[in-house]
Amino acid sequence: MRVIRGLVLALVLAGMGAGTAVAAACGSDALGTSRTITLKRGAGGAFGTVQHAALPGLEKGEVVLTFDDGPVPVLTPQVLDALKAECAKATFFMTGGNLDAHGDLAKRVVAEGHSAGIHSYSHPHLGTLGEVAQLDDLARTQAAYQRLFGVTAAAYRFPFLEETPVLMSALARDGVAVFSIDLAITDWQPADTTPMLAERLSKALDEKGGGIILMHDANKPTADAIATLLRVIKQKGYRLVHVVWEG
């Protein structure tokens, strides 16, 4: 525990200046993106060992960064700037409401080389809705995504990871991949601090050995901590993998 806390403190201090020291060429000190996994658009599938099988091709010691609930002003740009400073690529699962409200910001996410999926329209507990309402929520979200990007989204993450048979069936029918997670840092608590989040991430990586990481770009403590969290991943020796869809 003392070792973890010592590492976290050092990374917090280093991360405080990381957002302003953008590495133009991203040398060996940056986290970087070690490789890309390309999935076939329309092939469907369900990934993330909390609920499903592991992401095919992802190896021990590798992580996939994912962010939920955005895009939102101020916070998502803060996350994007930190990722750019580390030459790190991620996947953003966006709500339809935020796609409609902040379309230019969603386009910036994709323009900077990140992947985009969808995360319901307004983040409801989908299991409390009837079948028609669930399907309508999916249709509204895909429509918002298509208006911006010209295609429907290739990947979906359930709000609260609360999967429903109705939508699992619809997503499988449409060939949309379902992304669960392998590890999380419970970063939705408003009292969280950067050291708290860094310590949770360090412990989760030790326990799981890598995988799909869930964070939230619409959460201020996460946006404030992201430079440090990326350094935790780097300093612990994990390699970042970016997931994209062909076509």
Side-chain angles (χ1 to χ4, degrees):
M1 182 64 71
R2 289 181 179 175
V3 172
I4 290 176
R5 286 179 177 167
L7 172 64
V8 167
L9 177 59
L11 290 170
V12 168
L13 294 174
M16 289 173 66
T20 56
V22 177
C26 281
S28 60
D29 187 54
L31 173 59
T33 303
S34 67
R35 67 187 184 95
T36 299
I37 290 178
T38 302
L39 301 178
K40 184 175 177 60
R41 179 177 291 274
F47 313 115
T49 55
V50 165
Q51 293 167 294
H52 301 290
L55 181 68
L58 195 65
E59 300 173 358
K60 195 79 168 176
E62 293 184 329
V63 297
V64 173
L65 276 177
T66 68
F67 294 92
D68 284 5
D69 296 356
V72 295
V74 181
L75 301 181
T76 300
Q78 190 173 339
V79 170
L80 290 173
D81 289 345
L83 292 170
K84 184 177 182 180
E86 294 285 345
C87 285
K89 301 302 181 187
T91 301
F92 288 75
F93 289 92
M94 307 177 183
T95 67
N98 281 330
L99 287 169
D100 281 339
H102 310 298
D104 288 345
L105 188 49
K107 288 181 177 180
R108 176 185 165 184
V109 170
V110 173
E112 293 189 5
H114 304 289
S115 304
I118 52 175
H119 189 51
S120 80
Y121 193 84
S122 58
H123 212 282
H125 289 279
L126 290 163
T128 67
L129 305 180
E131 178 176 343
V132 172
Q134 290 184 47
L135 294 172
D136 179 66
D137 184 273
L138 175 59
R140 288 183 70 199
T141 310
Q142 283 285 28
Y145 188 97
Q146 188 161 24
R147 280 193 293 272
L148 284 177
F149 300 116
V151 295
T152 54
Y156 184 95
R157 177 174 282 151
F158 281 84
F160 311 103
L161 301 182
E162 293 174 351
E163 298 178 353
T164 70
V166 169
L167 288 185
M168 287 296 286
S169 177
L171 293 163
R173 177 201 66 210
D174 295 340
V176 177
V178 173
F179 259 63
S180 183
I181 67 171
D182 294 303
L183 61 104
I185 58 172
T186 60
D187 61 326
W188 54 82
Q189 302 172 75
D192 280 341
T193 65
T194 293
M196 291 166 64
L197 292 173
E199 185 166 347
R200 279 184 220 150
L201 176 59
S202 181
K203 290 174 67 176
L205 288 168
D206 287 344
E207 291 170 3
K208 298 293 291 189
I212 301 168
I213 302 174
L214 168 62
M215 298 184 189
H216 294 81
D217 60 306
N219 183 51
K220 187 177 188 306
T222 306
D224 290 343
I226 188 62
T228 295
L229 299 178
L230 296 175
R231 299 312 298 167
V232 169
I233 294 169
K234 169 68 175 179
Q235 294 298 327
K236 291 182 76 69
Y238 285 86
R239 302 176 305 280
L240 179 61
V241 173
H242 186 210
V243 176
V244 300
W245 283 265
E246 66 177 13

